[in-house]
Amino acid sequence: MSIVSLQVGQCGNQIGHELFNAISGDCNGPNRKTYSECSNERFFHESPTGELVARSVLVDMEPKVVAQTISKACKSGRWRYGDEAYFSQKQGSGNNWANGFCVHGPRHKEVVEELVRREIERCDRLAGIFTMMSVAGGTGSGVGTYITQCLRDMYPQSFIFNQLTWPYGAGEVIVQNYNSVLTLSHLYQLSDAILVHENDTVHKICSRLMNIKHISINDVNKVIAHQLGSVLQPAYTADSSGYYSRNPIGELLSSVVCHPEYKLLSLCNIPHMSSTSLAYSTFNWPGLLKHLRQMLIASARMEEGIDWTVSVPSAVTSGGESGTNSRQKCFNVSIANLLILRGKDVSTAQTGKLLSNICLEAILKNVNSFSAWNSPVPFNGYQKSATLVSNSQSLLKPLDNIVRKAWDMFASRAYLHQYTKFGISEEDFLDSFTALEQIISSYTHL
Amino acid sequence: MTQSVVVQGEDMEPNCIGGRITGLKARAVLVDMEEGVLAEILQGPLRQLFSSTQLISDVSGSGNNWAVGHHTYGSVYREQIVDQVRRAAEHCDCLQCFFLIHSMGGGTGSGLGTFVLKLLEEEFPEVCRIVTSVYPTAEDDVITSPYNCVLAMKELTEHADCVLPVDNQSLVDIVGKIQHMSHTGKPSCVIKKNSTIISGQGGWLDQMFSDAFSKEHQLIRADPKHNLYLACALMLRGNVQLSDLRRNIDRLKPTLPFVQWNQEGWKTSLCSVPPVGHTHSLLALANNTCVQFAFGQLRERFVKLYRRKAHLHHYLAVDGMESAGFSEALSCLSDLIQDYTHLECPLMPNAPRLSIAT
Ligand SMILES: Nc1nc2c(ncn2[C@@H]2O[C@H](COP(=O)(O)OP(=O)(O)OP(=O)(O)O)[C@@H](O)[C@H]2O)c(=O)[nH]1
Ligand SMILES: Nc1nc2c(ncn2[C@@H]2O[C@H](COP(=O)(O)OP(=O)(O)OP(=O)(O)O)[C@@H](O)[C@H]2O)c(=O)[nH]1
Ligand SMILES: [Mg+2]
Ligand SMILES: [Mg+2]
């Protein structure tokens, strides 16, 4: 089973590169022959001369980032991108979603479709299409959305899974909230699941947990790549009966996206720390799981500053409906969670009891909402690590902020002419706002 | 990758940048309806940059009459201008923008310049048009300059994507200050350019940022700090870090009123190569409601002439110029002023969000 990746725009390409880098590095460790074979089949094909070539298509509307990404991969010596697996142009999309979606997307439809088709035909079996992009610029957001739409038409039965990077709240792109609103509302109709990384959160992980003094975008991308890798690398699942799962994206979706109205996923991962501290730290599974559980219910995306006073009212934990009125302190309600444990003694850890403990607050709506994967192979230098993919309310606040700021701007008609110029009308904006308000409302009323 | 074709209207001479330049030709079309200035350029220090095939000229000028430049010369030179611009554009493998430089007060830059702007829009609708417009001082010796300015402003409002106004009075003040400083020999000589600042040596980084927002350093006579910012771009060059930029934005932000719907309306860029002869520089481009005052003064000067119908007949005698053109231009300017004024009105309560039936 193989995953075909798509890296669109500056952010998508830079994160994609870090992801393949992390994965190829992770496969190099000792005692992991089957694991590595499975991972390689997932993410790479072999060139006639035996080199690992990423199953990935690179797209940007300017040349610089794609060129740098390809040459950096080459220099790694471990893997590279395909010789003809990229497409770039000269001008960029000028941070304008409409320019990407209405102009560049349609103009380059055939070329990009062809590149993706070639990658897909190279796979014995396709696990799904995994697209990485930012929502704030013009290319990742606009062209990325357009390509997703084309791929949805071409491959109606395949899984399409999008990783989105949300902008810093105090942003660099003035119209970032417009671009975000347009991207999210469209993707919600097209994608099977949307996995979100907020730049602010990841930045905090770099400063507080990794102790990085001058944080570069590379540092941020390494954390994102680590988190993605911890989900996408091979693992045993409930269905895989002692083999590494052959259907990673399908199983991920069936465990966390149980209803089409709810497909926003967030990720938390522990531990994150600098490699120097890592050398002196030991972890035990009960401790890690206790933290992870509290991060989930207190909606903390990192291991520091967790609010330990948040708890789940007993009425809810025992499954009663009556508890919803008596929530003492607003805890983060989730509809589904997937726990992934990687590392030593993972099978001996008394996960069963602890897992069910996490699962308790997820039993609302009577959906089968908890799954666990594991792998005995330590991931990316961490002896033990735990990752939680949640479909929960934790993205409500940032989503609401994006919509509010975009709405304020929209109400004064600011910058609209730059979108109508390319064919996105006020009506289109209104439709997008309506779609997002609907999503906000759905998650709020869980 | 960024390429622009510069369309130069008129007497505005480019600066000498020193050193010999060989083998490079400016991506530019130079237009003037008299020969003197263009001839000087062809003999000046930048002569290698231009060839006579890039020039379009006539002999008699537009006599400080917008209508002559716009209508008379516009219809005569239309084809030739389109041809020249096309030829320049064909040399670009990725044309991003047209940059039009002109004065507002005379006849050619103002009249023919805005005619060219309209042509560019017709011929290259997807290519954006940025215009640098030089406004006359109040004591300008061109008596009809208020007419020319206001007539031209209507065209700018309708056909430009972005206008960078420059007031000659601000330039005069800045030059005066530089001369004063070089006489008194102040060590950290600061040369200001519009919202552009080119600051001297010595790591006076924070000062440079403060200056960029002070009223003494603007290229129009206005005080942005006491008016409302709609958005602001900061372009920093030299050995300066992103953190310097961020720190200064955080430091200055409390003193800078931004419109409620664009509180984070900053666009920033960094380039490690400083301008020739400097260690670093900062260009601040602001969209600020303070322009309304300069526009208001211009309107007064226009109305003073227009009320007496002074010099009107020179314009109305030109084929294609109608008297309605004047009243329309005036009301277009009034609307523009009003648009900026309205932005400053006490905030209307935020529009209620869409509500979803649950
Ligand atoms: N985490 C992370 N965020 C990035 C990176 N590059 C850009 N961003 C974010 O992405 C947004 C800007 O979008 P880009 O991806 O640069 O834009 P683009 O898709 O190339 O589109 P255009 O440049 O407008 O054509 C901002 O929110 C940035 O913070 C990156 O490498 N990592
Ligand atoms: N800053 C600056 N202003 C100039 C320059 N040359 C002329 N001006 C201003 O431009 C206005 C006069 O317009 P000109 O550009 O001379 O006129 P023109 O476009 O050649 O039009 P006609 O001569 O009428 O054909 C006055 O306000 C001058 O102060 C210059 O080189 N620099
Ligand atoms: Mg880009
Ligand atoms: Mg002249």
Side-chain angles (χ1 to χ4, degrees), chain A residues 91 95 400 412 415 437-438, chain B residues 96 261-262 267 353 356:
Chain A
Q91 207 162 352
N95 294 160
D400 192 66
S412 49
Y415 300 104
E437 295 286 7
Q438 180 62 57
Chain B
Q96 288 226 319
W261 43 260
N262 211 10
K267 177 82 195 168
R353 295 255 296 261
I356 297 295

Side-chain angles (χ1 to χ4, degrees), chain A residues 151-257:
Chain A
L151 295 177
R152 186 33 95 211
D153 288 343
M154 282 169 79
Y155 303 101
Q157 309 301 330
S158 301
F159 296 123
I160 299 183
F161 182 32
N162 292 67
Q163 184 272 342
L164 300 184
T165 301
W166 284 11
Y168 288 100
E172 317 102 288
V173 177
I174 288 181
V175 287
Q176 64 184 25
N177 298 304
Y178 276 176
N179 295 334
S180 306
V181 162
L182 291 163
T183 307
L184 287 168
S185 60
H186 283 77
L187 278 185
Y188 221 77
Q189 309 299 319
L190 302 166
S191 178
D192 290 303
I194 294 171
L195 177 63
V196 174
H197 280 102
E198 298 161 79
N199 268 344
D200 283 313
T201 308
V202 184
H203 198 92
K204 254 190 239 160
I205 292 177
C206 289
S207 71
R208 308 258 180 85
L209 301 181
M210 323 272 298
N211 277 319
I212 303 172
K213 287 288 167 311
H214 300 282
I215 299 162
S216 70
I217 204 72
N218 253 354
D219 298 321
V220 170
N221 292 348
K222 283 203 166 73
V223 171
I224 295 178
H226 175 80
Q227 296 199 342
L228 289 175
S230 73
V231 175
L232 296 174
Q233 277 291 58
Y236 302 122
T237 66
D239 300 345
S240 67
S241 52
Y243 294 96
Y244 284 117
S245 165
R246 311 273 307 151
N247 185 16
I249 295 193
E251 284 190 54
L252 174 97
L253 296 176
S254 69
S255 34
V256 283
V257 185

Side-chain angles (χ1 to χ4, degrees), chain A residues 7 13 16-25 43-44 51-56 58 69-82:
Chain A
Q7 329 185 153
N13 277 292
H17 171 263
E18 287 302 337
L19 173 64
F20 285 104
N21 222 24
I23 283 172
S24 80
F43 295 101
F44 300 94
E51 295 163 297
L52 288 183
V53 182
R55 298 184 190 273
S56 187
L58 301 83
T69 306
I70 291 175
S71 96
K72 262 164 77 181
C74 259
K75 282 186 198 133
S76 79
R78 291 194 308 259
W79 66 283
R80 61 175 178 86
Y81 284 106

Side-chain angles (χ1 to χ4, degrees), chain B residues 229-289:
Chain B
Y229 278 89
L230 306 186
C232 184
L234 295 179
M235 295 166 208
L236 203 49
R237 296 184 55 179
N239 180 20
V240 188
Q241 305 307 311
L242 193 63
S243 54
D244 296 322
L245 190 65
R246 216 55 249 180
R247 171 170 46 82
N248 276 290
I249 289 179
D250 291 342
R251 180 174 66 86
L252 293 164
K253 218 170 156 188
T255 68
L256 305 171
F258 265 71
V259 71
Q260 163 263 341
W261 43 260
N262 211 10
Q263 291 289 316
E264 286 131 17
W266 297 90
K267 177 82 195 168
T268 56
S269 68
L270 278 178
C271 167
S272 58
V273 182
V276 174
H278 297 269
T279 55
H280 48 269
S281 78
L282 170 64
L283 172 69
L285 293 174
N287 193 347
N288 187 292
T289 57

